[in-house]
């Protein structure tokens, strides 16, 4: 397969907005900028500070406007990446066209950082900083039957995952964006920390509970405490 054959992967460049909550935590939101196509190839994986660090090479046409520090999403699975430099090495022998290559890593505001819940509908993204009030529950899914000896057996199909988050602080704008995404489409893509590492899958969301925590001088809510639950769309 030639390099140009790999250029069919679609990505979206993202605009990053950061805010600081009342506790001094930095909250990050991502919004779509422009789409582009290219090839993203995993170069290496390693462990650092008990987490997986992956490095990639991104190859795009010269017309794509990208540079150091830019954030982009792979549209097929919602994974988010960050450009850490431009590769100025020799061109691959297979290349018969002009291109640019960048050094890329997983975006630390989402999939590689434990303690963050990344929720996206493919256009907008909200990141919740997780505290102690975050739980993952796995329930067996199956059917029961009574055997000839009178014992009850369970035919297990798989497991359903439920996420529960309480008291996650969001600004009024980010809380409104989260509720808007869930009201528009109850199934959203979620990247969440598990004991096995970072996991990305679709979840069915209940409408979140919002509790006003801070108000401005006019009495308008500026920060909310968010409580939400979501159930995995698929059986694992």
């Amino acid at each position: 397969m030639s390099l140009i054959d790999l250029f069919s992967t679609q990505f979206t460049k993202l605009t990053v907005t950061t805010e600081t909550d009342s506790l001094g935590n930095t909250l990050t939101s991502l919004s779509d900028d422009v789409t582009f196509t290219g090839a993203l190839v995993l170069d290496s994986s390693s462990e650092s500070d008990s987490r997986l660090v992956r490095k990639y090479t991104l190859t795009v046409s010269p017309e794509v406007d990208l540079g150091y520090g830019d954030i982009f999403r792979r549209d097929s699975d919602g994974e988010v990446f960050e450009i850490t430099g431009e590769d100025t090495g020799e061109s691959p022998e297979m290349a018969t066209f002009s291109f640019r290559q960048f050094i890329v890593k997983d975006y630390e505001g989402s999939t590689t950082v434990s303690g963050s819940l990344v929720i996206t509908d493919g256009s907008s993204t909200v990141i919740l900083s997780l505290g102690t009030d975050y739980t993952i529950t796995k329930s067996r899914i199956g059917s029961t039957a009574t055997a000839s000896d009178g014992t009850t057996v369970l035919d297990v199909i798989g497991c359903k995952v439920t996420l529960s988050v309480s008291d996650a602080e969001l600004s009024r704008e980010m809380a409104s964006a989260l509720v808007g995404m869930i009201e528009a489409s109850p199934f959203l893509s979620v990247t969440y920390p598990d004991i096995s590492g970072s996991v990305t899958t679709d979840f069915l969301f209940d409408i979140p509970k919002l509790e006003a925590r801070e108000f401005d001088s006019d009495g308008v809510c500026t920060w909310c405490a968010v409580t939400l639950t979501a159930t995995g769309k698929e059986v694992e």
Side-chain angles (χ1 to χ4, degrees), residues 35-207:
T35 60
F36 63 94
T37 58
L40 185 67
V41 178
L42 177 64
D43 294 326
S44 65
S45 298
S46 61
E47 290 285 339
S48 176
D49 297 328
S50 300
R51 65 184 178 88
L52 181 64
V53 177
R54 294 176 292 193
K55 296 181 179 180
Y56 309 81
T57 295
L58 173 69
T59 306
V60 297
S61 70
E63 291 76 22
V64 176
D65 183 18
L66 291 173
Y68 175 81
D70 282 344
I71 309 298
F72 65 95
R73 181 186 68 238
R74 183 166 54 202
D75 293 348
S76 61
D77 58 11
E79 290 285 340
V80 182
F81 307 90
E82 179 180 1
I83 294 176
T84 60
E86 186 164 0
D87 188 350
T88 57
E90 296 182 0
S91 303
E93 293 181 358
M94 68 176 69
T96 58
F97 59 98
S98 298
F99 62 90
R100 297 174 69 193
Q101 288 190 308
F102 296 92
I103 303 168
V104 173
K105 68 174 183 178
D106 293 308
Y107 176 49
E108 293 188 357
S110 58
T111 60
T112 63
V113 175
S114 62
S116 295
L117 197 72
V118 184
I119 305 171
T120 181
D121 61 2
S123 297
S124 300
T125 300
V126 173
I127 300 177
L128 283 76
S129 296
L130 300 175
T132 56
D133 296 324
Y134 164 66
T135 59
I136 303 173
T137 305
K138 293 187 178 182
S139 304
R140 292 189 181 93
I141 302 296
S143 58
T144 59
T146 302
S148 57
D149 61 358
T151 60
T152 300
V153 296
L154 174 63
D155 182 15
V156 178
I157 300 174
C159 292
K160 278 275 191 178
V161 178
T162 300
L163 300 179
S164 176
V165 180
S166 298
D167 286 337
E169 284 204 340
L170 284 180
S171 68
R172 180 184 61 185
E173 291 76 13
M174 289 297 100
S176 177
L178 176 62
V179 172
M181 285 195 299
I182 294 173
E183 289 180 340
S185 175
F187 288 109
L188 301 172
S189 176
V190 180
T191 300
Y192 64 96
D194 198 353
I195 57 174
S196 58
S198 181
V199 180
T200 300
T201 190
D202 290 340
F203 278 80
L204 170 63
F205 278 82
D206 296 328
I207 300 297

